[in-house]
Each structure stands twice: as structure tokens, then as C-alpha cells.
Amino acid sequence: MQNEEIKKNPWIFYADNSLAFAETAVGNDQFTGEVAFLCQQAVEKYLKAVLFELKIPIQKTHDLAKLYDKIKEFKDLNLDEALLDILCDLYIESRYPTDIALLDGKILPSVENAKTYFDFAKSVENIVKTEIEILRQASTLGDS
């Protein structure tokens, strides 16, 4: 069953895994950078899942704004673009000690910020999964 779901849209499977792992650490102040990274990864994969459903070639990019701009050519998901930009900026900075970004005078995101990123990623999950269901229903109707 799991393999059938992956075949339908592999991006959803991997996004769900990133988000589930982030959820295990979201309240822990030792892992705020990892939570931010996993939330960015989840959002990136959810956006790519929409492109996959729309049968639009998926670019090899981690730029959330670029991915969302491509989606908006077909459908506006009403995502918080400011949070997309923040997560995009955190992609590298939260991963490598030599490139750590300063956030509000701190080296890593606060627990509160990590929770904000997680909540945003969860909202993207809900929006994307709803949109994908709509796209699949429309496709099924079009096939009739």
C-alpha cells in the first residue's frame, strides 16, 4: 500500500516524512535549526507535489519563491510569501556552521520561531493536499 501511495506522488511521501520528523523535535531548543531545515524541506516537497500533479517539469531548486511563482501561473494557494522567504533563507544557514545566519541577534531560530515554521509547514501540507485532491477529482471528471 505504501508503495502505491509513493507512486501516486512521491513528493507527498517525502514531504510527510520531513514534517513528521520535525514534529518530534519542534519543542526542543537544541534542535531548532534542524526543525527549520525540515520545515523548509517539507514545504519545498509539498510545492513540488503540486507541480507534479499539474504535470509541470520540476526544477532542481530549493528556492521556495521560485517554486511558488511557477505554481501561481496556474493556481494561487494563498501562502504566506514572507514565511516562504524566511524558510528559503534558512535552507543553507541552518545546516552548516560556517554559514549560520543570525536571526534576531541569535545564531539559530528560537523555539517560538521553530514552532512558527512548523505551523506554517503544516498549513502548507493541508492546503496542498486539499488542492491535490481537487486536481485529482477534476482529472477523474475529465477522463469520464
Side-chain angles (χ1 to χ4, degrees), residues 29 32-33 36 90 94 101 103 106-114 117:
D29 66 353
T32 59
L90 287 172
S94 68
L103 304 166
K106 298 182 177 107
I107 292 176
L108 292 172
S110 66
V111 170
E112 181 179 288
N113 284 342
Y117 306 147

Side-chain angles (χ1 to χ4, degrees), residues 66-137:
K66 189 180 222 180
L67 292 168
Y68 188 45
D69 285 344
K70 190 68 174 169
I71 291 169
K72 287 193 303 185
E73 292 176 20
F74 303 91
K75 176 75 176 174
D76 189 350
L77 303 177
N78 297 312
L79 300 181
D80 183 332
E81 294 185 52
L83 273 173
L84 282 176
D85 288 342
I86 290 169
L87 281 178
C88 192
D89 289 344
L90 287 172
Y91 172 70
I92 296 297
E93 287 84 350
S94 68
R95 300 297 299 159
Y96 300 103
T98 57
D99 296 323
I100 291 177
L102 292 175
L103 304 166
D104 298 326
K106 298 182 177 107
I107 292 176
L108 292 172
S110 66
V111 170
E112 181 179 288
N113 284 342
K115 287 179 181 178
T116 297
Y117 306 147
F118 178 77
D119 291 343
F120 176 65
K122 286 294 286 181
S123 74
V124 171
E125 172 193 26
N126 293 331
I127 290 166
V128 163
K129 286 182 175 180
T130 298
E131 186 60 32
I132 285 174
E133 188 59 36
I134 291 167
L135 290 169
R136 287 179 179 172
Q137 288 175 0

Side-chain angles (χ1 to χ4, degrees), residues 35-49:
V35 169
F37 173 75
L38 288 167
C39 289
Q40 184 282 336
Q41 285 289 281
V43 170
E44 176 186 326
K45 292 167 191 167
Y46 285 128
L47 295 177
K48 289 178 177 179

